[in-house]
């Protein structure tokens, strides 16, 4: 795909949600001064503007073959984007807070296609192991949260004991202590997943199909949970 300044400017300012955006201090290439710029991360491209209202980026950094690391600099919360090679430029940036710096370092470290390729390869290996029957058992779904009383969860893992027959007469000695409050039973488990997917068996499905099927189920469960939270 051929890129030019016009297509890059359109991509930088399009209406699609950005992966990350915010102000950073960028150290100049020839001068030691830092300039406050508005940065927008889209995919593996890091655009920077004069300010947040600008419609044309000042520059772009392609985040391929680089490493992101913390550095000691005149500005606080500084980090650097380094590229391999003797003549490659190092971009020194500084955030406005510790939380912002950590967010940017994490986002930039995961922005390259090399990272995504590794994630997809690992997921494919896990899927192949599960199909072969030698993979780890998938984690159980967490149960719904128990009701709260004074901010504390009150369910108990113990089931309440069944009431026994009434005693024939009063027991001698001091009166017994009142029985503890029986724990509330946890909610029932969700229905068991069907062995086949909507369009065929899971064993013959591709990774993209599995991603779409499970994503539909997650969205349906989230919608059901939101409706239950909206009820009084």
């Amino acid at each position: 795909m051929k890129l030019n300044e016009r297509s890059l400017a359109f991509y930088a300012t399009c209406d699609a949600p950005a992966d990350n955006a915010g102000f950073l201090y960028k150290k100049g290439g020839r001068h030691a001064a830092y300039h406050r710029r508005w940065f927008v991360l889209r995919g593996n491209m890091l655009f920077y503007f004069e300010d947040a209202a600008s419609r044309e980026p000042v520059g772009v950094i392609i985040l391929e073959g680089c490493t992101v690391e913390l550095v000691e600099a005149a500005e606080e919360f500084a980090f650097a984007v380094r590229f391999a090679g003797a003549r490659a430029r190092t971009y020194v940036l500084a955030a406005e807070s510790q939380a912002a710096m950590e967010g940017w370092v994490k986002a930039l470290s995961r922005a390259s296609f090399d990272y995504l390729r590794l994630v997809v390869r690992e997921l494919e290996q896990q899927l192949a192991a599960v199909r072969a029957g030698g993979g780890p058992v998938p984690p159980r779904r967490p149960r719904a949260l128990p009701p709260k009383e004074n901010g504390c969860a009150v369910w108990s893992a113990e089931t309440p004991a069944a009431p026994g027959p009434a005693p024939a007469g009063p027991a001698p000695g001091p009166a017994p202590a009142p029985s503890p409050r029986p724990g509330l039973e946890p909610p029932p488990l969700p229905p068991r997943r069907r062995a086949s997917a909507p369009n065929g068996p899971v064993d013959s499905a591709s990774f993209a199909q599995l991603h779409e099927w499970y994503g539909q189920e997650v969205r349906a469960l989230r919608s059901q949970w939101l409706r239950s939270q909206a009820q009084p």
Side-chain angles (χ1 to χ4, degrees), residues 200-218:
V202 176
D203 293 340
S204 61
S206 64
F207 175 80
Q209 289 174 326
L210 289 175
H211 185 275
E212 177 64 22
W213 293 337
Y214 288 118
Q216 292 177 0
E217 182 176 0
V218 169

Side-chain angles (χ1 to χ4, degrees), residues 14 34 73 105-106 116 118 127 140 166 171 195 202 206 209:
C14 65
Y34 284 82
V105 170
K106 182 182 297 185
L116 297 179
L118 291 175
L127 179 60
R140 296 178 59 185
V202 176
S206 64
Q209 289 174 326

Side-chain angles (χ1 to χ4, degrees), residues 143 155-159 183-184 186:
R143 296 179 177 180
W155 95 23
S156 172
E158 300 178 357
T159 57
L184 298 178

Side-chain angles (χ1 to χ4, degrees), residues 23-25 76-79 94-104:
F23 281 106
L24 291 173
Y25 292 92
E76 197 175 7
F77 312 120
F79 58 94
E96 296 180 340
S97 65
Q98 178 73 21
M101 180 193 69
E102 294 176 357
W104 275 108

Side-chain angles (χ1 to χ4, degrees), residues 33-103:
Y34 284 82
H35 302 280
R36 193 170 184 256
R37 297 285 183 259
W38 177 258
F39 281 78
V40 176
L41 175 63
R42 295 184 182 276
N44 63 340
M45 295 184 180
L46 181 62
F47 300 93
Y48 52 96
F49 303 78
E50 288 285 350
D51 52 54
S54 299
R55 300 300 299 171
E56 186 174 349
V58 178
V60 59
I61 305 172
I62 309 298
L63 301 171
E64 293 295 337
C66 66
T67 58
V68 184
E69 56 189 45
L70 303 182
V71 295
E72 293 185 1
E75 292 289 335
E76 197 175 7
F77 312 120
F79 58 94
V81 179
R82 300 185 185 276
F83 292 87
R87 298 183 179 181
R89 180 179 173 181
T90 297
Y91 295 87
V92 180
L93 308 172
E96 296 180 340
S97 65
Q98 178 73 21
M101 180 193 69
E102 294 176 357

Side-chain angles (χ1 to χ4, degrees), residues 123-138 202-203 210 214:
L123 292 175
E124 289 176 344
Q125 293 175 355
Q126 294 179 5
L127 179 60
V130 171
R131 287 179 174 177
V137 179
V202 176
D203 293 340
L210 289 175
Y214 288 118

Side-chain angles (χ1 to χ4, degrees), residues 110-191:
R110 299 176 177 179
S112 68
F113 284 112
D114 290 335
Y115 174 83
L116 297 179
R117 194 177 295 114
L118 291 175
V119 172
V120 171
R121 185 178 303 141
E122 182 179 355
L123 292 175
E124 289 176 344
Q125 293 175 355
Q126 294 179 5
L127 179 60
V130 171
R131 287 179 174 177
V137 179
R140 296 178 59 185
R141 293 182 182 179
R143 296 179 177 180
L145 293 176
K148 291 187 175 182
E149 198 172 88
N150 296 329
C152 301
V154 295
W155 95 23
S156 172
E158 300 178 357
T159 57
S179 58
R181 176 187 176 186
L184 298 178
E185 293 187 9
L189 293 176

